[in-house]
Amino acid sequence: MDIEAASDDDAFEDARDRVDRPMWQLFTEYGRGQRLAFVLGLVSSIVARMLDLLPPLLLALAIDAVIEQQTSYSLLFVPDAWIPATTMGQLWLTAGLIAASFGLGAIFHYTRNYGWNKFAQHVQHAVRTDTYETMQRLNMEFFADKQTGEMMSVLSNDVNRLEKFLNDGLNSSSRLVIMVLGIAAYLFYINWQLALVALLPVPLIAVFTKWFIETIQPKYADVRASVGSLNSRLENNLSGIQIIKTANTESYEADRVEESSQEYLDANWDAIGTRITFFPGLRLVSGLGFVVTFVLGGLIVIGQAPAVFTTELTTGGFVAFIIYTQRFVWPMAQFGQVINMYQRAYASAERVFGLMKTPGRLDEATDAPPLAATDGAVEYDDVTFGYGEDSVLDDVSFTVDGGDTVALVGPTGAGKSTVMKLLLRMYDPDDGAVRIDGQDLRDVQIPSVRRAIGYVSQETFLFYGTVRENIAYGTFDATDDEIRAAAEAAEAHQFVENLPEGYETMVGERGVKLSGGQRQRVAIARAILKDPDILVLDEATSDVDTETEMLIQRSLDELTADRTTFAIAHRLSTIKGADTILVLEDGRVVERGSHDELLAQDGLYANLWAVQAGEIDELPEEFVQRAIQRRARTDADD
Ligand code: ADP
């Protein structure tokens, strides 16, 4: 697979453009498992609507045959012999039939809703879980910066919109088709000439509805955009409230919020204006149709119609006709809504399937064996790598014997974290190879690589859950004793015991806030519990005070003793004892050796050490100049 493509910012957009017939995919790929629910929904929908249309017909029959006694009482598909002969009997039969059609109607409305909802909910669930799983496996580049918000919106808004269409949309459209076809058929059956007249407003309604949709859609888009910017403004201001207060900018911010809110109000008001014109307008058109049908129908019944109207109409038929004409208008008006819902669902399906087709997953041979870690020896063999066009690592080569500790030092942006990301196989090198115990990472299963490595980073993320769950995250079968022992080794046990509910205290977002140092100790406990072959400490003690650092260092020493360890550190005192120190600058290893050897070389490391140890006040001019140049380059890149 082409991994390069993923570094393209628009990989997601490109994939979206390539999606072919998204709605078809939705039904065939996800609807297949819910065929029964779909058929139940559809069939019940048809039957329920047919039953809905029955009472006016029965009413017409009752008026003509029982009350007016103009015609004889006969029912379609029912032998005349079964029909009671007395007027009373016929009245009761009609009542019974009307009651039955309502009763049966209720049952079919239930099964219709059951079917459609089941279909929609299950498809939604499957789409969401599938999309999430696919997204989770995408390359890390995908998650860099701005994509998160977009992903969130695919996972929630788009999936919900699909569900809305599958439920309401399918329901409405089936009702629409049946009502329109069914009523038109009944109308023509009762009196085809009057039916032609009664249906005259239909094209008018269609044109009117089309106008409405075309006018309202851009207005709704404005509403959505303005509510979006209003929400971001509010969110931003709430999280930055401390800055607002200290900078004394309350009134400035109040003005900005007012401005955003006013924009939202204006956009909404504009849309409301159109919306509240449409429905009364529709009522007017349908009312006009009603009056014309009423006058003409009445004239036909009493025999005074213009000569072209050669057909007959009974009183009952007239009543049924009027009722049906009224029922006809609203499904027509809904037509627009259904089309609208379909268009939105179509766009959402495109985004969902676009996400699923986004390239950028690492190539993983399906038959790859798991990594067989033995000593934890690591080798970087001429590794060159870049996130985009420019390479971030250049011909990086080094080997680490199993059990050794390697420290990576160097200025920010030198590529230290990138070296570690390649070890965790977040990315593959463009050139060269990374090997663990002689096995190229590309030739083994990805999960087995990550299982072999414990990672403690400078930014410790805690999941919303208990402290216990956070320590045991990834080692789900750990016993309480093991969890406690890990916490003790990480110097975390004491503060955890002092939390309101000890190990059962909820932490993470929405939970008790832990300090940076406490979070880091939880992360270290997590790594200790995992007991990995290789440990990566990415500035693992950066967030703690010197005293805690000393404590943690003790537990880290124990943790790293017999294990291959990579340590990234700015404070050189923490990695002084490493077996090998690699000094990186601009993606290259510029110095390597033990602490003493590097001091003897009197290069970048020796000078950094001297500054940090307070032996000299500042870096020699040569190094300062290099740093300035580097900074200028990065700024230019940004
Ligand atoms: P260090 O850990 O030494 O501070 P990094 O490995 O984080 O350095 O970064 C090395 C270079 O790669 C920097 O120029 C940085 O801007 C760039 N970089 C890091 N991560 C990404 C990324 N996800 N996408 C693009 N560039 C990145």
Side-chain angles (χ1 to χ4, degrees), residues 141 144 387 392 410-419 421 427 568 634:
E141 282 151 54
Y387 293 99
V392 166
T412 305
K416 305 180 293 289
S417 299
T418 305
V419 170
K421 286 181 200 161
Y427 305 92
I568 297 179
T634 350

Side-chain angles (χ1 to χ4, degrees), residues 94-115:
T94 314
L97 286 174
I98 292 179
S101 66
F102 275 110
L104 274 177
I107 294 173
F108 280 101
H109 275 279
Y110 173 82
T111 52
R112 176 204 66 185
N113 285 339
Y114 179 87

Side-chain angles (χ1 to χ4, degrees), residues 7 140-145 385-388 390-393 408-421 427 458 538-539 568 570 584 586-587 634 637-638:
S7 59
M140 281 309 289
E141 282 151 54
F142 198 76
F143 297 94
D145 57 52
F385 170 78
Y387 293 99
D390 303 327
S391 56
V392 166
L393 297 181
L408 296 171
V409 302
T412 305
K416 305 180 293 289
S417 299
T418 305
V419 170
M420 293 297 94
K421 286 181 200 161
Y427 305 92
Q458 48 190 332
D538 190 347
E539 302 269 10
I568 297 179
H570 277 298
L584 264 86
D586 283 340
T634 350
D637 282 353
D638 289 347

Side-chain angles (χ1 to χ4, degrees), residues 85-163:
T86 64
T87 307
M88 211 46 189
Q90 291 173 356
L91 190 69
W92 279 113
L93 175 65
T94 314
L97 286 174
I98 292 179
S101 66
F102 275 110
L104 274 177
I107 294 173
F108 280 101
H109 275 279
Y110 173 82
T111 52
R112 176 204 66 185
N113 285 339
Y114 179 87
W116 284 145
N117 277 294
K118 186 162 193 278
F119 180 72
Q121 295 300 328
H122 280 82
V123 170
Q124 175 199 32
H125 174 71
V127 169
R128 178 175 289 128
T129 47
D130 232 29
T131 318
Y132 175 73
E133 271 178 40
T134 315
M135 187 196 67
Q136 213 173 213
R137 280 197 299 267
L138 287 171
N139 228 347
M140 281 309 289
E141 282 151 54
F142 198 76
F143 297 94
D145 57 52
K146 58 182 183 283
Q147 305 266 20
T148 329
E150 211 171 336
M151 289 310 96
M152 204 53 213
S153 130
V154 173
L155 283 172
S156 63
N157 298 351
D158 286 324
V159 175
N160 290 349
R161 215 173 271 165
L162 287 183
E163 186 248 358

Side-chain angles (χ1 to χ4, degrees), residues 451-452 475 526-534 559 563:
R451 212 173 300 128
T475 317
R526 192 186 285 164
I528 293 176
L529 190 63
K530 186 177 179 185
D531 193 21
D533 297 289
I534 299 170
L559 177 64
R563 219 184 291 269

Side-chain angles (χ1 to χ4, degrees), residues 25 53 99 119 128-129 217 316 370 404 412 419 423 453-454 492 498 523 571 578 607 611:
Q25 280 188 43
L53 292 178
F119 180 72
R128 178 175 289 128
T129 47
Q217 287 223 15
D404 273 7
T412 305
V419 170
L423 184 68
I453 303 171
N498 286 334
R571 263 185 276 176
N607 282 283
V611 175

